[in-house]
Amino acid sequence: GITRVYGDVQRVKILYNKKDSALIQLSDGNQAQLAMSHLNGQKVFGKVMRVTLSKHQTVALPREGLDDQLLTKDFSGSPLHRFKKPGSKNFQNIFPPSATLHLSNVRDGLGEDDLRLLFSNSGGTVKAFKFFQDRKMALIQMTSVEEAIQTLMDLHNYDMGGNHHLKVSFSKSTI
């Protein structure tokens, strides 16, 4: 989900008695703080998201055979984590939600029309688009922050074929 923009999600547990609530464990406290400060109060699926720090330090994995509703997921070994390397340039590109999204790792041969269509099919309306010179990165502006959040959740790490995953993050730039 949206939390992975601000850190590497290790585990997620959807609460059994409150299916609209979850515990999300990130790699460290700084990542959790970033996620909370940028996401608390944002609208997602038409509802205002509430993000607070948990009293739990970790999300416990259920004992073998006890999570029959599959409410707990472990992502600790995911190859798609953005912030594994200390000092990674990804740490410099963390911004609050905005209507403008930064796309990177754009596959060769993919044009503006392809990307506009991909983002429109995700339920958004593209207001503006701009490729960077190398065409491996672009900016795409949606009509609202809520739409941008939605399309980011749908399309970050989108597999464009050949194990080529599109990277989507919020941008501080406008088009």
Side-chain angles (χ1 to χ4, degrees):
I2 188 83
T3 318
R4 62 186 172 212
V5 170
Y6 300 108
D8 291 332
V9 174
Q10 300 299 309
R11 293 179 181 164
V12 175
K13 179 183 186 116
I14 296 170
L15 302 185
Y16 182 78
N17 290 324
K18 279 184 80 175
K19 298 274 192 288
D20 65 347
S21 299
L23 294 173
I24 300 171
Q25 179 184 335
L26 293 151
S27 292
D28 63 46
N30 290 339
Q31 292 179 7
Q33 194 66 50
L34 262 176
M36 186 177 77
S37 64
H38 287 319
L39 296 175
N40 189 44
Q42 293 292 336
K43 274 184 100 176
V44 181
F45 299 116
K47 289 174 139 184
V48 176
M49 187 171 17
R50 294 281 160 237
V51 183
T52 58
L53 293 176
S54 172
K55 64 180 186 226
H56 302 281
Q57 292 300 302
T58 59
V59 172
L61 290 173
R63 288 199 306 272
E64 196 67 41
L66 288 184
D67 189 17
D68 53 350
Q69 292 195 4
L70 303 175
L71 298 176
T72 307
K73 294 250 189 287
D74 187 354
F75 298 101
S76 56
S78 173
L80 300 175
H81 284 161
R82 291 183 184 199
F83 305 101
K84 282 191 289 232
K85 297 183 195 102
S88 160
K89 67 181 188 318
N90 292 331
F91 286 108
Q92 298 153 30
N93 296 312
I94 297 173
F95 302 107
S98 65
T100 305
L101 298 170
H102 180 272
L103 314 182
S104 60
N105 205 29
V106 175
R107 197 183 75 216
D108 285 341
L110 222 55
E112 177 177 340
D113 290 346
D114 300 314
L115 290 166
R116 281 179 174 267
L117 185 63
L118 181 64
F119 278 74
S120 297
N121 286 346
S122 184
T125 304
V126 177
K127 271 179 69 174
F129 183 93
K130 182 178 139 198
F131 261 122
F132 285 66
Q133 208 165 357
D134 67 0
R135 298 182 70 86
K136 293 198 181 322
M137 292 191 286
L139 293 175
I140 193 162
Q141 186 181 346
M142 309 308 289
T143 53
S144 68
V145 173
E146 188 176 0
E147 254 187 29
I149 289 172
Q150 206 74 50
T151 53
L152 183 147
M153 287 173 29
D154 289 344
L155 297 174
H156 174 62
N157 282 329
Y158 178 79
D159 190 349
M160 298 186 298
N163 205 21
H164 210 90
H165 293 88
L166 182 66
K167 303 292 179 210
V168 183
S169 55
F170 297 114
S171 176
K172 66 175 188 218
S173 308
T174 51
I175 306 174

